[in-house]
Amino acid sequence: MTQVTQTPQIAILGAGLIGVGWAALFVHHGADVRVWDPKPEALKEVEARMRAPLAQLEEASPRTATRGTLTLCSDLSDALSEADLIQENAPENIPLKHALYSLVEPLMMDSAVLASSTSALTWSDLSPGLKDPSKLITAHPFNPPHLVPLVEIFGTDLARLGRAEAIYRAAERVPVRLMKDATGHIANRLASALWREAVHMVQAGIADVEAIDAALVNGPGLRWSVLGAHMAYHLGGGEGGMAGYLAHLGPSQERRWASLGNPTLSEEVQTELVAGVEREAAGRSIAELEAVRDKALISALRARKEAPHV
Amino acid sequence: MTQVTQTPQIAILGAGLIGVGWAALFVHHGADVRVWDPKPEALKEVEARMRAPLAQLEEASPRTATRGTLTLCSDLSDALSEADLIQENAPENIPLKHALYSLVEPLMMDSAVLASSTSALTWSDLSPGLKDPSKLITAHPFNPPHLVPLVEIFGTDLARLGRAEAIYRAAERVPVRLMKDATGHIANRLASALWREAVHMVQAGIADVEAIDAALVNGPGLRWSVLGAHMAYHLGGGEGGMAGYLAHLGPSQERRWASLGNPTLSEEVQTELVAGVEREAAGRSIAELEAVRDKALISALRARKEAPHV
């Protein structure tokens, strides 16, 4: 495992929600961070918008060393010239990202990693934007990026992947490497598969939106916060583990798969989804719900430090 | 909401893993519990086997009142005569459960609820075993039942459902009601849908078993422990909430659904699943992994008391 020995130099490209989350995370963990955005007015607000995530980070994982530095750069070359990791958070638009990469590539160090936070696009979509595609990796954080540890990684240059992962680990992230480029990486494919069945149950009248969310949060969601899905079946197999589970219950799992639904987002189901989350929100605004979520995430992260997950 | 005003009297039928978990839970929360098992030798071990779950419950949620009582019954009528709730944990076998119900029904109080812990079977499978099917509900706990709060409920008699739910709530469970009987209830349908895509990613070579588990536990699993799947899309829609999400990203979610896989549990994929969880277990036995899981669950439950989930 590559170790980070010097203070890492990080460039954050794009000062939206995700970019600001990354900036706060790296500053909290002692890195020297330079933020660039094509709109100078966006830069002016960065420090103010980092205050809340920095306070949350301090609660989730109190600093043992001093904070890193923050530099706001209106000039792209200032942000890139010494950066070890360049975290790109531009809008999800292939031509726009390609155009940005054509500016970035000549300015970055040979050893640097250009990491795209892209959620919807893939490495194969983005790498044609560079002369040397091996400089690019995808490094997808899970929202909110300063609190949820996962970073999903794909790239082709093993040494560069190793250097990037070491930087993410030093910021208490958990980098997880894909073996093959895939739309939705890993986590959003899992989330999408789960939500398909959740929407199917609403459509089929099996349970309402708020019952499904309550079942998830108090059942499998809670368990998946400490135990992976494969590992859960390993433990579900008793003494025989996964092999025992597959021998005894594999066929019934295949039958269950066949019985899962394939819903469409019809107008009727959309109306019910909107009404359901409104009942669940019980008058709380998006900002209020996010505040509850973040407080609960911080508490869960602290709990993990006391008792590590499987 | 029906309130529990007197000490509830609980009968536990079947002293296997699930039955003992229920017994410990109800005793911890002050109920008077009578355990019956067709095998007298199983009864002898109940007290010893309750020690570990009772200690875990004390850690997860320290008692504020005295423990309830435990009575071991070799005679079924002793267990049932004053029971408000009869929690049945017999093997997943329809004729066997029907035969048991034909013994139980004449011995239970008119007001009592017969609640089946069944995971694989449904209310429609089981209710023909009673003269009065309205006495039966399904009440499926999520393993381990004394730690994971979810209890999935289905039945037809609203008054009985209300009385059962009040008893579960008094034992700090979260009862979630289905509107329609469904195989796998809610939670195992969600788990099955998620695992199908997890197995697909292994089969397609996108990621290995341990990477998928790490992505889940450090990403969506952690978030689903504080926020439901529907609510996550509500927050993902920004100011527009779920309606905004559906308007902007509904079509791409439908495309994502179409791209999810439909794996089979071939010999090849089974071999990889077994090898993957073994790499992930890194030499730890099932019992050791369960101990890590339980410690992490207890820590997560304590964290929830400090900061409630959405």
Side-chain angles (χ1 to χ4, degrees):
Chain A
M1 200 181 286
T2 313
Q3 294 292 321
V4 176
T5 48
Q6 289 186 310
T7 303
Q9 310 287 314
I10 314 284
I12 305 289
L13 308 186
L17 186 70
I18 303 296
V20 167
W22 277 121
L25 176 79
F26 284 120
V27 165
H28 180 75
H29 287 286
D32 288 338
V33 175
R34 290 173 169 246
V35 179
W36 171 86
D37 194 281
K39 299 190 202 80
E41 64 275 21
L43 287 180
K44 280 187 210 145
E45 296 167 6
V46 167
E47 272 195 274
R49 289 169 53 222
M50 277 171 63
R51 253 172 240 141
L54 279 172
Q56 291 181 328
L57 281 159
E58 186 62 34
E59 241 193 294
S61 180
R63 271 176 305 129
T64 52
T66 51
R67 269 189 187 157
T69 60
L70 172 71
T71 310
L72 303 173
C73 303
S74 51
D75 183 357
L76 185 58
S77 68
D78 282 349
L80 297 178
S81 61
E82 294 182 30
D84 300 302
L85 177 73
I86 301 155
Q87 190 77 38
E88 169 270 303
N89 314 282
E92 297 284 63
N93 174 316
I94 296 175
L96 190 150
K97 287 196 196 254
H98 283 186
L100 177 60
Y101 296 173
S102 73
L103 300 176
V104 169
E105 191 171 16
L107 298 171
M108 64 191 272
M109 297 195 299
D110 261 359
S111 62
V113 186
L114 172 57
S116 175
S117 299
T118 189
S119 172
L121 305 173
T122 63
W123 186 88
S124 308
D125 293 328
L126 300 179
S127 58
L130 290 102
K131 284 185 188 155
D132 177 2
S134 78
K135 286 181 175 156
L136 180 75
I137 69 169
T138 49
H140 174 241
F142 213 67
N143 195 47
H146 61 295
L147 295 180
V148 180
L150 176 63
V151 183
E152 303 177 276
I153 310 263
F154 182 77
T156 56
D157 178 341
L158 292 182
R160 229 174 276 263
L161 285 168
R163 288 199 299 280
E165 286 170 349
I167 291 173
Y168 292 123
R169 281 200 196 91
E172 293 186 359
R173 299 302 88 185
V174 177
V176 169
R177 209 185 280 195
L178 279 80
M179 299 188 300
K180 211 186 259 183
D181 201 18
T183 305
H185 313 289
I186 299 169
N188 278 334
R189 296 186 73 87
L190 296 176
S192 188
L194 180 133
W195 197 49
R196 176 166 63 175
E197 184 55 21
V199 172
H200 166 242
M201 284 192 277
V202 171
Q203 200 160 42
I206 293 171
D208 55 25
V209 164
E210 56 273 46
I212 294 166
D213 275 4
L216 179 58
V217 167
N218 292 289
L222 175 66
R223 207 169 65 184
W224 285 327
S225 77
V226 307
L227 186 74
H230 295 293
M231 191 50 89
Y233 289 109
H234 185 53
L235 300 193
E239 284 305 304
M242 176 64 92
Y245 174 80
L246 290 168
H248 293 108
L249 294 168
S252 72
Q253 184 65 250
E254 286 186 314
R255 281 195 299 276
R256 177 75 49 82
W257 288 346
S259 82
L260 297 175
N262 205 355
T264 49
L265 291 169
S266 66
E267 246 180 78
E268 201 187 354
V269 82
Q270 292 199 27
T271 303
E272 184 47 34
L273 292 173
V274 171
V277 292
E278 275 169 15
R279 290 191 301 269
E280 200 179 341
R284 293 171 292 179
S285 69
I286 300 282
E288 286 169 322
L289 291 164
E290 283 176 343
V292 177
R293 173 197 68 190
D294 289 354
K295 222 169 138 62
L297 276 176
I298 289 165
S299 190
L301 288 168
R302 293 169 66 98
R304 267 178 190 220
K305 295 211 167 193
E306 282 167 34
H309 54 76
V310 176
Chain B
M1 199 182 284
T2 312
Q3 294 290 323
V4 176
T5 48
Q6 289 185 311
T7 303
Q9 310 287 312
I10 314 284
I12 304 291
L13 308 185
L17 185 70
I18 303 296
V20 167
W22 279 121
L25 176 78
F26 285 119
V27 165
H28 179 75
H29 287 286
D32 287 338
V33 175
R34 290 174 170 247
V35 179
W36 171 86
D37 194 283
K39 299 190 202 81
E41 64 275 21
L43 287 180
K44 281 187 209 141
E45 296 167 6
V46 168
E47 273 195 272
R49 288 170 52 223
M50 277 171 65
R51 252 172 242 141
L54 279 171
Q56 291 180 329
L57 281 158
E58 187 61 33
E59 240 191 297
S61 180
R63 272 176 304 128
T64 51
T66 51
R67 268 188 187 159
T69 60
L70 174 71
T71 310
L72 303 173
C73 302
S74 52
D75 183 357
L76 184 59
S77 67
D78 282 350
L80 298 178
S81 61
E82 295 181 30
D84 300 301
L85 177 73
I86 301 155
Q87 190 77 38
E88 169 271 302
N89 315 282
E92 297 284 62
N93 175 316
I94 297 175
L96 189 150
K97 288 197 195 254
H98 283 187
L100 177 59
Y101 296 173
S102 72
L103 299 175
V104 168
E105 191 172 17
L107 298 171
M108 66 191 271
M109 297 195 299
D110 260 359
S111 62
V113 186
L114 173 57
S116 176
S117 299
T118 190
S119 172
L121 304 173
T122 64
W123 186 87
S124 309
D125 293 328
L126 300 178
S127 59
L130 289 103
K131 283 184 189 156
D132 176 3
S134 78
K135 288 183 174 155
L136 180 75
I137 69 170
T138 49
H140 174 240
F142 214 69
N143 196 48
H146 62 293
L147 295 180
V148 179
L150 176 63
V151 184
E152 301 177 278
I153 311 263
F154 183 78
T156 56
D157 179 342
L158 293 182
R160 229 174 278 265
L161 285 168
R163 289 200 298 279
E165 287 169 350
I167 291 174
Y168 292 124
R169 280 200 196 91
E172 293 185 0
R173 298 304 88 187
V174 177
V176 169
R177 210 185 278 194
L178 279 79
M179 299 188 299
K180 210 185 260 182
D181 202 18
T183 305
H185 314 288
I186 299 169
N188 276 334
R189 296 186 73 88
L190 296 176
S192 188
L194 180 133
W195 197 48
R196 176 166 64 176
E197 184 55 21
V199 171
H200 166 243
M201 284 191 276
V202 171
Q203 199 161 41
I206 293 172
D208 54 26
V209 164
E210 55 273 45
I212 294 166
D213 276 4
L216 178 59
V217 167
N218 293 289
L222 175 65
R223 208 170 63 183
W224 286 327
S225 76
V226 307
L227 185 75
H230 295 293
M231 191 49 88
Y233 289 110
H234 185 53
L235 299 194
E239 285 305 303
M242 176 65 92
Y245 175 81
L246 289 168
H248 293 108
L249 293 168
S252 72
Q253 183 65 250
E254 287 186 315
R255 281 195 298 278
R256 177 76 49 82
W257 288 345
S259 82
L260 298 174
N262 204 356
T264 48
L265 292 168
S266 65
E267 244 179 81
E268 201 185 354
V269 82
Q270 292 201 27
T271 303
E272 185 46 33
L273 293 174
V274 171
V277 292
E278 274 169 15
R279 290 191 302 267
E280 200 178 343
R284 292 172 294 179
S285 68
I286 300 282
E288 285 169 320
L289 291 163
E290 282 175 343
V292 178
R293 174 198 67 190
D294 289 355
K295 220 168 139 60
L297 276 176
I298 289 164
S299 190
L301 288 167
R302 292 169 66 98
R304 266 178 189 220
K305 295 212 167 195
E306 283 167 33
H309 53 76
V310 178

